[in-house]
Amino acid sequence: MKQASLDLSLSVKKTRKREFLEQMDKVVPWQALIDLIAPYYPEGKKGRPPFSLATMLRTHFLQQWFTLSDPGMEEAFFDTPLYREFARLPEFSRVPDESTILRFRHRLEKHKLAQEILDEVNTLLSQHGLIFKAG
């Protein structure tokens, strides 16, 4: 049995990356952003069931924050358990592949949601003394 399957967290040191993601988990208005995107997200009546909108939104943010390409994001899910945890992906489940990530980003671009998301996040973060200039 692998250690990961026991859900043991033996690390005593919190990394800067973990601290950053914990802070973003608290300050980003996830539900407001999900509500903004939901009308444009597929319901999954055909083909494979889609990943949850929350997972795809968190994946999009991870990709922006850590400057990852679509293939790089897919690979990072396998290399970095912290990313899977942040994206709310169960441990031994499938992960969004690069084409799924690309289609999500294209959907945001098609409906001009990327700028609205950035504005929404910046409004909230500015109240905390933080700001994102891109992404």
Side-chain angles (χ1 to χ4, degrees):
M1 183 176 277
K2 293 182 179 179
Q3 174 182 330
S5 66
L6 296 175
D7 199 24
L8 296 176
S9 180
L10 301 177
S11 175
V12 292
K13 178 176 171 52
K14 269 193 176 180
T15 63
R16 284 178 284 164
K17 190 180 286 188
R18 180 174 292 279
E19 287 178 0
F20 171 76
L21 290 176
E22 285 176 359
Q23 185 179 19
M24 291 301 104
D25 193 38
K26 291 176 186 171
V27 300
V28 171
W30 297 110
Q31 193 55 53
L33 297 177
I34 288 169
D35 293 343
L36 176 70
I37 300 167
Y40 308 100
Y41 198 66
E43 296 176 15
K45 293 182 180 178
K46 300 181 206 171
R48 284 187 304 185
F51 288 93
S52 76
L53 177 51
T55 291
M56 293 308 298
L57 182 61
R58 286 169 174 272
T59 299
H60 181 71
F61 273 75
L62 284 169
Q63 195 174 11
Q64 301 303 313
W65 291 333
F66 298 108
T67 322
L68 296 166
S69 65
D70 298 335
M73 186 69 244
E74 179 184 0
E75 191 172 299
F77 278 134
F78 293 104
D79 290 342
T80 312
L82 177 60
Y83 290 169
R84 289 177 68 100
E85 180 184 321
F86 182 79
R88 306 286 198 265
L89 288 165
E91 187 156 349
F92 295 108
S93 68
R94 67 187 179 100
V95 299
D97 62 11
E98 63 183 276
S99 61
T100 301
I101 295 167
L102 173 71
R103 283 192 303 275
F104 182 76
R105 189 176 65 256
H106 283 177
R107 185 176 306 277
L108 295 180
E109 292 166 358
K110 177 182 176 185
H111 299 289
K112 297 178 178 34
L113 296 171
Q115 188 60 46
E116 286 186 56
I117 290 170
L118 181 61
D119 293 343
E120 179 90 22
V121 171
N122 275 338
T123 299
L124 190 71
L125 294 181
S126 66
Q127 295 169 0
H128 294 277
L130 305 167
I131 192 161
F132 283 116
K133 295 185 182 198

